[in-house]
Amino acid sequence: MFREFLDPKFFLRELEEVNRKVVKGAEILLSIPDADVEPTPKELVHEEDKLRLFHYLSTGEPRCPVPVLICYALVNRQYMMDLQSDRSLIRNLLGEGLDIYIIDWGYPDHGDRYLTLEDYIDVYLNDCVDLVRERSGQERINLLGVCQGGTFSVIYAALYPEKIRNLVTMVTPIDFHVTDGLLNVWSRHMNVDKMVDTMGIIPGEFMNVGFLMLKPFQLMVDKYVGLMDNLDDPATVANFVRMEKWIFDSPAQAGEAYRKFIKDLYQENKLVKGELDIGGRRVDLRRITMPLLNIYATEDHLVPPASSIPLNDLVGSEDKTLYGFPGGHIGIYVSSRSQKELAPMVSGWLMERCPGARQGGRARGRKAASPGARKTSGGKADSRAGKERRGDEKGPEGPAAT
Amino acid sequence: MVEEEEMAERDESLGGWAEAWERWRELQAEAFRSWMEAWGSTLSGAYPGWKGVGSEKGEGAGTGSKAAALFREWGEHARELMSRFGVPAAGLGPDTFLRAFHAAEVYGGLYSLWMEMWEDYRRALGQEGGLDLEAVHALLDKWAERYRELVDKVFVPALPEPLQWVAELYSGEIPLLAGGLAAHFWAPWVEFARSMSQRGFNLERPTPETALKVYEEWRKAYEESYGRLLRMPAMGYYREAMEKYSKAMDSLNEFGIVLAEFYATLQGAGTRGLEKLLERMASLRGEEDEGLMSFRDFYRLWWQTNEDIYVELFRTEEFSRLLGQLVDKGMEFRSAFQAYVEEVSKELPFPNRSEMDHLYRTLDRLRREVRTLKRDLQELKGAAAGKGGEG
């Protein structure tokens, strides 16, 4: 029996509350400005075809002379990491004294259908790494890869280990034959050749349908019902609108690169098997000998932890850390817990491995790794960190992959 | 008695017109009744639920013959009636009337033939144990023979002798062949309809399982009929466009079949979600608060229950395969339709996708060449600078 039927006062109170929120919400939505994102100042330092490389402007001298290059995924946009000033991993990392560059892959169109995975890794990413090395005067730089960008970074680090000082991966798929993730299961039956041959580039909208199907009721129904609960709060509505913009701001995928990514990785799992070939060279993960920080999200529905965790067992690094962040694929960047914990953890880990690092910033005096991290050396990666904290704050989730 | 005498006297004075009028009236009544019977039989044959005139007699067959007989009867009576008008003017009268109606009789004969054919055909379709194509062919043979007789009798004499073979040709072999082809074409659909009726397919409450079976059988019928037609090679000036159009339509149908299966699968999950929701609500009733919940609680229970059910479905190998098929068929349609659009728009003053792709391919190759040349140039410059330094 519904309480509303037995308790008319309760029903009327609920009704009144909903009405108030709708009216107030309508007022807020009518007056809200465009969803402004990427608030942290940055300068354009390099352009190549549709790629743009930005350097974030810092108010002071970085504490670590070794810059961090962030390699984001081709899916969705890199400003997830700088969504708004109070939810910005970038801003927090800058505050910790890091010097940061970020790649914006742009929006591929039909003219980019023949771009290959080799173009992205051997040309675009490599050019960016070289440029950052040149600008910073550092022989080796820090590379931070996110999701698919993490896979790119891992491949790059295996191919060009001499250019990378430290490798940080965030929610990065490595083992594609896990059964926890729906994307992993679905992709096995996709005729990717026909998709690419037919469409040329894979539209972002097409990808989004797949992402929305991962949690159909949560992402297509409850998310909007949940907004109703907070419709009278301008800040919440503005945050929601920003997130909504990011979720559906989905670039297309360059056809040939997509073909190889799906076939060689999702379908044949060649990276884990040591069979991936990029530009005629075999990608051997054991060539990754630099320090590795592998961060996964314990509640990730896009890249399940089981897909990320094996990296630590596959690389040749002696110094490797596995960190399970309690949250989802997107919450890892925008949750309030992330703002407090993730940037200090990442910067602390990097500072520890930064030659010539100065004390200072918010991380002064901190231990490098937060309690969530487990340092592993040589042997098996320790994933207890994530499991112990599973069920904590998840943060807002969206359908899109990063 | 006086009245009868008066009537006889009046009839005499009218030259038999009164009697003729009475017979005319009776004939009209009979004609009306016969037509109603004929139509009633026709309708009751086409629509079993129809309870028109004559249907209670179970006279579904012979409609065409009855109609023809009625037509003939009416014609004869009209001729007889005409003979009572006295001496006709030259060229007019019963003979003229007869000649005029003779032409109509030709059409009446054709009409009867078609109607009989349809009734035989309908009986063959209605037989138990499936459609017997041989029986249909036997019917066609019989019908063709009668058709030939009719043509020989009516049309052939009307043609000059050198052209009489044309009428003979079209009275025998060709209609027979066409009829056989049509029978083959419709046979899968007859089987489909029969299967649906035997299954007792209930449109009021279709379940995903029954829907899937329907789609499966529909697909079989399609494959054996329209599918073959659309895959038939086209010819002539519009051959390319027609073939591409046919291919696009065929692939659209293929896509529609998989899409229907996809939706039926989703609907099945929805049904299971509803059942699970009811189970959960029933289990809540046993708890301390006697199952009291707010709308909000119910909503939460609703979406979370459904989410679990759908994700469970999505995890299955079967769904994954179905999703793959759906995308695959969607791509086939898109590709085929794109080819058709390009074919029919090639004279328009803008480049099509294939032409642009060719251009993109060239551009991509040039971009790579430029990149390689730049790198080589830099290396050469470096080498030259090194040599200069050494010198």
Side-chain angles (χ1 to χ4, degrees):
Chain A
M1 178 60 75
F2 291 112
R3 188 177 167 190
E4 281 83 351
F5 293 159
L6 295 179
D7 185 355
K9 280 185 184 172
F10 176 76
F11 175 73
L12 291 172
R13 273 200 306 275
E14 287 267 298
L15 194 65
E16 183 196 2
E17 190 186 337
V18 169
N19 285 338
R20 280 185 191 285
K21 282 179 176 173
V22 168
V23 173
K24 182 70 179 170
E27 188 185 325
I28 291 170
L29 285 170
L30 286 170
S31 59
I32 204 166
D34 279 349
D36 51 328
V37 293
E38 297 186 89
T40 308
K42 59 186 184 300
E43 62 175 339
L44 179 67
V45 294
H46 175 61
E47 268 186 292
E48 189 171 357
D49 301 330
K50 291 195 170 61
L51 174 146
R52 291 185 300 170
L53 178 66
F54 290 100
H55 181 216
Y56 282 100
L57 301 174
S58 181
T59 49
E61 272 292 303
R63 288 199 295 127
C64 175
V66 182
V68 179
L69 172 63
I70 297 177
C71 174
Y72 202 79
L74 302 177
V75 183
N76 283 92
R77 306 277 293 149
Q78 80 291 340
Y79 60 77
M80 166 49 63
M81 305 188 76
D82 187 27
L83 196 62
Q84 60 193 68
S85 56
D86 59 344
R87 290 176 185 227
S88 169
L89 183 64
I90 299 287
R91 181 166 287 212
N92 290 331
L93 290 174
L94 284 172
E96 295 292 338
L98 292 174
D99 186 21
I100 300 171
Y101 290 81
I102 196 166
I103 296 172
D104 173 358
W105 298 111
Y107 296 87
D109 58 28
H110 280 280
D112 300 307
R113 68 173 295 177
Y114 297 108
L115 284 181
T116 61
L117 215 50
E118 283 80 0
D119 289 325
Y120 278 105
I121 293 169
D122 274 339
V123 179
Y124 292 147
L125 181 54
N126 190 38
D127 287 352
C128 289
V129 169
D130 285 346
L131 190 114
V132 173
R133 288 167 66 219
E134 189 183 323
R135 279 176 61 97
S136 64
Q138 295 288 325
E139 194 62 29
R140 292 182 296 157
I141 63 165
N142 297 325
L143 184 59
L144 189 157
V146 177
C147 188
Q148 184 191 31
T151 313
F152 283 10
S153 300
V154 166
I155 295 169
Y156 183 84
L159 294 174
Y160 302 90
E162 70 281 3
K163 297 182 182 181
I164 305 300
R165 179 172 291 281
N166 297 298
L167 176 63
V168 181
T169 56
M170 298 179 85
V171 289
T172 294
I174 297 295
D175 182 353
F176 291 84
H177 274 191
V178 293
T179 52
D180 301 9
L182 288 177
L183 294 180
N184 302 81
V185 177
W186 292 346
S187 58
R188 275 171 226 159
H189 294 284
M190 291 291 162
N191 186 342
V192 68
D193 283 331
K194 200 175 278 180
M195 287 167 65
V196 174
D197 292 344
T198 302
M199 294 194 282
I201 55 171
I202 309 300
E205 294 77 13
F206 180 89
M207 311 279 291
N208 276 339
V209 171
F211 295 138
L212 288 169
M213 275 177 64
L214 297 174
K215 290 184 173 182
F217 284 81
Q218 185 179 337
L219 299 177
M220 290 188 266
V221 180
D222 188 57
K223 187 176 80 171
Y224 300 100
V225 174
L227 174 66
M228 287 286 291
D229 280 341
N230 299 292
L231 208 52
D232 55 347
D233 177 9
T236 305
V237 173
N239 289 351
F240 185 91
V241 171
R242 274 189 208 98
M243 181 60 78
E244 198 75 345
K245 171 185 169 62
W246 177 80
I247 287 168
F248 295 107
D249 185 4
S250 311
Q253 303 295 298
E256 293 305 320
Y258 181 82
R259 190 199 305 265
K260 189 175 175 78
F261 196 80
I262 298 296
K263 286 179 83 169
D264 285 6
L265 297 174
Y266 270 96
Q267 293 180 344
E268 296 180 37
N269 208 20
K270 285 185 175 177
L271 183 60
V272 165
K273 293 177 184 168
E275 296 170 359
L276 182 67
D277 187 281
I278 295 288
R281 288 171 299 161
R282 186 61 57 92
V283 179
D284 182 358
L285 294 180
R286 286 170 303 182
R287 292 190 71 207
I288 298 178
T289 52
M290 73 287 298
L292 166 71
L293 170 59
N294 183 10
I295 302 169
Y296 65 94
T298 58
E299 306 296 321
D300 198 331
H301 69 293
L302 286 158
V303 181
S307 177
S308 303
I309 290 170
L311 177 63
N312 288 46
D313 294 334
L314 296 168
V315 296
S317 310
E318 285 295 315
D319 178 5
K320 49 194 175 185
T321 306
L322 185 66
Y323 180 84
F325 181 82
H329 195 76
I330 314 301
I332 197 171
Y333 305 107
V334 296
S335 70
S336 53
R337 182 170 198 160
S338 159
Q339 308 313 307
K340 290 177 204 150
E341 288 184 13
L342 198 62
M345 187 267 159
V346 172
S347 64
W349 188 89
L350 285 171
M351 289 296 177
E352 261 196 351
R353 291 155 183 81
C354 176
R358 294 184 294 105
Q359 289 292 310
R362 291 200 300 256
R364 186 194 299 271
R366 283 179 69 100
K367 290 288 286 180
S370 81
R374 290 288 182 275
K375 189 174 177 182
T376 58
S377 61
K380 292 272 181 185
D382 186 346
S383 61
R384 282 174 299 168
K387 287 177 182 169
E388 284 166 3
R389 301 168 70 173
R390 195 182 293 263
D392 288 354
E393 179 186 0
K394 293 179 184 174
E397 285 304 307
T402 54
Chain B
M1 186 64 192
V2 175
E3 194 177 341
E4 283 178 5
E5 285 174 1
E6 282 176 358
M7 280 181 70
E9 191 178 335
R10 192 175 60 204
D11 282 357
E12 188 65 27
S13 69
L14 290 171
W17 269 99
E19 184 192 347
W21 174 252
E22 187 61 26
R23 287 194 60 195
W24 172 263
R25 194 182 59 78
E26 282 173 10
L27 186 71
Q28 289 300 312
E30 175 65 19
F32 185 72
R33 196 180 68 77
S34 301
W35 278 113
M36 285 304 289
E37 278 183 5
W39 279 108
S41 300
T42 307
L43 290 171
S44 64
Y47 306 102
W50 170 260
K51 298 290 181 192
V53 179
S55 61
E56 58 274 3
K57 296 178 187 170
E59 295 172 349
T63 309
S65 305
K66 285 168 76 178
L70 178 68
F71 178 76
R72 274 195 302 275
E73 192 182 337
W74 177 78
E76 281 169 15
H77 181 72
R79 186 158 52 86
E80 189 185 334
L81 190 69
M82 288 292 287
S83 69
R84 294 173 182 272
F85 278 100
V87 181
L92 292 175
D95 290 345
T96 308
F97 189 77
L98 185 64
R99 280 196 295 276
F101 273 78
H102 179 70
E105 265 186 11
V106 171
Y107 290 102
L110 274 175
Y111 171 75
S112 298
L113 202 58
W114 281 109
M115 286 305 292
E116 280 167 22
M117 179 193 174
W118 160 243
E119 281 155 14
D120 288 346
Y121 200 59
R122 191 164 59 83
R123 270 198 297 278
L125 301 186
Q127 283 170 357
E128 292 295 326
L131 180 70
D132 184 355
L133 270 177
E134 284 184 15
V136 172
H137 279 291
L139 286 173
L140 285 170
D141 284 343
K142 183 182 139 196
W143 173 85
E145 187 55 40
R146 291 198 52 201
Y147 183 63
R148 185 159 41 239
E149 283 171 14
L150 184 74
V151 171
D152 285 348
K153 185 176 154 193
V154 177
F155 292 106
V156 172
L159 291 170
E161 196 176 342
L163 291 178
Q164 285 180 354
W165 65 273
V166 177
E168 283 165 4
L169 179 68
Y170 283 95
S171 69
E173 190 180 356
I174 287 176
L176 200 60
L177 287 173
L181 198 62
H184 274 286
F185 187 82
W186 288 113
W189 294 103
V190 172
E191 281 304 311
F192 173 71
R194 190 198 309 282
S195 170
M196 289 303 103
S197 70
Q198 283 172 356
R199 188 191 300 286
F201 179 62
N202 187 351
L203 285 170
E204 288 168 8
R205 193 177 180 278
T207 63
E209 288 74 23
T210 54
L212 281 178
K213 281 177 185 160
V214 171
Y215 293 130
E216 196 177 299
E217 293 188 21
W218 189 93
R219 180 198 181 100
K220 193 173 160 227
Y222 170 78
E223 287 289 339
E224 291 172 5
S225 55
Y226 287 106
R228 291 170 64 190
L229 189 68
L230 287 173
R231 286 166 206 150
M232 191 174 74
M235 293 173 198
Y237 182 75
Y238 290 108
R239 201 205 87 85
E240 287 301 303
M242 277 310 297
E243 192 156 279
K244 282 169 182 165
Y245 176 76
S246 296
K247 192 175 177 190
M249 290 304 102
D250 185 37
S251 57
L252 178 61
N253 285 325
E254 292 282 335
F255 174 66
I257 290 165
V258 181
L259 185 66
E261 190 177 344
F262 184 77
Y263 280 139
T265 306
L266 291 184
Q267 192 200 345
T271 307
R272 287 198 300 282
L274 188 62
E275 288 165 0
K276 189 80 179 169
L277 178 66
L278 292 174
E279 276 175 30
R280 287 187 179 177
M281 288 184 72
S283 70
L284 283 175
R285 285 199 196 101
E287 293 179 2
E288 285 181 1
D289 59 357
E290 295 178 339
L292 193 66
M293 60 165 61
S294 64
F295 286 157
R296 189 182 294 266
D297 295 333
F298 172 73
Y299 159 73
R300 198 174 295 119
L301 189 66
W302 169 78
W303 83 256
Q304 285 174 352
T305 303
N306 275 287
E307 188 94 317
D308 292 345
I309 295 283
Y310 275 93
V311 170
E312 187 186 327
L313 168 72
F314 293 166
R315 281 190 189 288
T316 61
E317 189 76 6
E318 291 75 25
F319 180 83
S320 180
R321 192 168 284 117
L322 182 60
L323 186 64
Q325 280 176 8
L326 182 73
V327 174
D328 207 36
K329 294 292 177 190
M331 291 302 127
E332 278 175 16
F333 167 62
R334 183 169 169 150
S335 174
F337 189 69
Q338 180 70 33
Y340 169 68
V341 168
E342 288 191 7
E343 178 64 32
V344 296
S345 63
K346 62 188 177 188
E347 298 304 328
L348 296 177
F350 47 76
N352 61 34
R353 175 66 58 79
S354 297
E355 289 163 348
M356 289 305 295
D357 278 346
H358 181 74
L359 201 62
Y360 294 145
R361 170 65 87 185
T362 306
L363 197 64
D364 182 71
R365 198 162 44 238
L366 288 173
R367 193 159 54 184
R368 289 173 199 281
E369 275 182 30
V370 168
R371 193 180 289 142
T372 306
L373 290 171
K374 264 186 179 176
R375 194 173 55 226
D376 291 349
L377 191 62
Q378 279 175 350
E379 283 174 8
L380 285 171
K381 278 182 179 173
K387 276 188 182 173
E390 284 170 13

